[in-house]
Each structure stands twice: as C-alpha cells, then as structure tokens.
C-alpha cells in the first residue's frame, strides 16, 4: 500500500500526468494511479483526459493559464449615451434609464451614473458631485437650494 498525499497542488498533479503520459500510460490508468496516491479528491477522469490531450497537442506548461475576466459592457460610448439621457431629463430614475437601455442591468447603470459620471441624487435631481453651491443654485433655482440646506441642517441629515 502506498502512502497517500493530501492536498496536492494542481501543477504537481499535472506534472505527474505529463510524466505518465510521456511513458504512454493510458488516461484511465493515470486517473486510477492519481486516486490511489492523492485520494478521492484527486482530479476527475475528464480533467485527466483533457490534460493528456493538451500534452499530446504539444503543451509543455503544467501551470493553469490565467483566466481572463468577463469583459466589461461599460465603454466610453455607453457612458456618453447615458450622460446624454441624463442631460435631457435631470429628474430621471435608474429604472427610466433601464427602459432606455434594456440590454444593460440596473446595477451597471447605477455604477455608470454614480462612479463614472460622478452624479448623485439631490432632491429628485441628479447633479454632478463637484458642483459648488453657486452652480447648484443656478441649476436648481435660487430659492430651492437655500431652503433645502436649511431643512437638511434642521433635520441633521447630510445632502
């Protein structure tokens, strides 16, 4: 009986597969030997066959290749289109944007509005975060913002 090895690294198992494949051992036998040494948590038979095929197709690296992340749907063109829709109607909601862009999720649209375009909600109007008070007054009306600020100070909430 052989001594079992617990928690082998993937590259260690792939090295064994490469070695046994070089000795013309069949994939089923390679899997049987891996289970015998590494236990039942060893690589599955299908994965062993996959690695054997790759080594037969001139693969030499035993390390897994880095998997690329899912490509982002957010691009400059989409951000510009969302910004145009916001400029058309400052009293929009994320749900209204979802109606305009049905292929984009609410989460992604919210991320575009808040993180990429740096807008935040100010009493039912979306305004850029970087506006100074004078510009906010100009956009919202001269009497709107001071009253809102007074109410916010009285209720001790942050704008």
């Amino acid at each position: 009986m052989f001594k079992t090895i617990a928690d082998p690294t993937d590259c260690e198992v792939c090295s064994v597969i490469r070695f046994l494949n070089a000795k013309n051992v069949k994939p089923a036998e390679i899997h049987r030997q891996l289970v015998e040494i590494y236990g039942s948590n060893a690589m599955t038979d299908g994965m062993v066959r996959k690695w054997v095929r790759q080594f037969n197709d001139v693969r030499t690296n035993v390390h897994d290749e880095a998997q690329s992340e899912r490509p982002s749907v957010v691009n400059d063109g989409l951000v510009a289109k969302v910004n145009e829709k916001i400029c058309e109607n400052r009293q929009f909601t994320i749900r209204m944007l979802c109606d305009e862009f049905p292929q984009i999720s609410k989460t992604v649209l919210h991320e575009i509005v808040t993180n990429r375009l740096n807008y935040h909600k100010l009493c039912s109007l979306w305004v850029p975060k970087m506006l100074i008070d004078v510009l906010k007054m100009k956009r919202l009306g001269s009497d709107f913002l001071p009253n809102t600020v007074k109410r916010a100070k009285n209720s001790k909430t942050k704008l």
Side-chain angles (χ1 to χ4, degrees), residues 38-72:
Y38 295 116
S40 61
N41 292 333
M43 195 177 284
T44 64
D45 185 49
M47 286 302 292
V48 170
R49 290 177 189 281
K50 176 185 162 199
W51 278 99
V52 167
R53 271 193 310 273
Q54 289 180 0
F55 288 132
N56 288 337
D57 293 338
V58 298
R59 179 178 178 140
T60 58
N61 188 0
V62 294
H63 299 284
D64 271 337
E65 295 158 355
Q67 302 223 344
S68 62
E69 292 182 17
R70 187 175 181 179
S72 175

Side-chain angles (χ1 to χ4, degrees), residues 5 8 18 38 52 60 64 66 79 82 94 100 102-103 123 137 144 148 159:
I5 300 172
R18 183 174 179 213
Y38 295 116
V52 167
T60 58
D64 271 337
V79 172
V82 170
I94 299 295
E100 296 290 329
Q103 71 278 16
C123 298
M137 281 188 206
F144 177 76
T148 306
L159 277 181

Side-chain angles (χ1 to χ4, degrees), residues 8 17 19 22 26 28 30 34-35 39 49 59 62 67 69 73 79 83 100 104 108 112 120 124 141:
I17 293 170
F19 172 77
K26 299 210 179 291
I30 293 173
L34 288 175
V35 170
R49 290 177 189 281
R59 179 178 178 140
V62 294
Q67 302 223 344
E69 292 182 17
V73 296
V79 172
N83 196 26
E100 296 290 329
I104 309 296
V108 171
I112 290 171
H120 70 280
S124 80

Side-chain angles (χ1 to χ4, degrees), residues 83-150:
N83 196 26
E84 285 175 26
K85 289 295 179 185
I86 292 171
C87 290
E88 287 175 12
N89 179 13
R90 291 261 183 213
Q91 294 182 331
F92 74 94
T93 61
I94 299 295
R95 187 167 299 228
M96 289 167 65
L97 281 178
C98 284
D99 293 339
E100 296 290 329
F101 302 98
Q103 71 278 16
I104 309 296
S105 71
K106 279 190 246 183
T107 307
V108 171
L109 285 170
H110 188 268
E111 184 237 324
I112 290 171
V113 170
T114 57
N115 296 344
R116 296 284 293 265
L117 294 173
N118 289 326
Y119 285 110
H120 70 280
K121 196 79 159 178
L122 179 66
C123 298
S124 80
L125 287 181
W126 288 85
V127 295
K129 289 180 182 178
M130 302 306 292
L131 283 181
I132 58 175
D133 287 339
V134 175
L135 292 175
K136 287 179 186 175
M137 281 188 206
K138 183 178 176 185
R139 284 193 180 204
L140 299 174
S142 59
D143 62 333
F144 177 76
L145 189 62
N147 293 336
T148 306
V149 172
K150 282 182 199 173

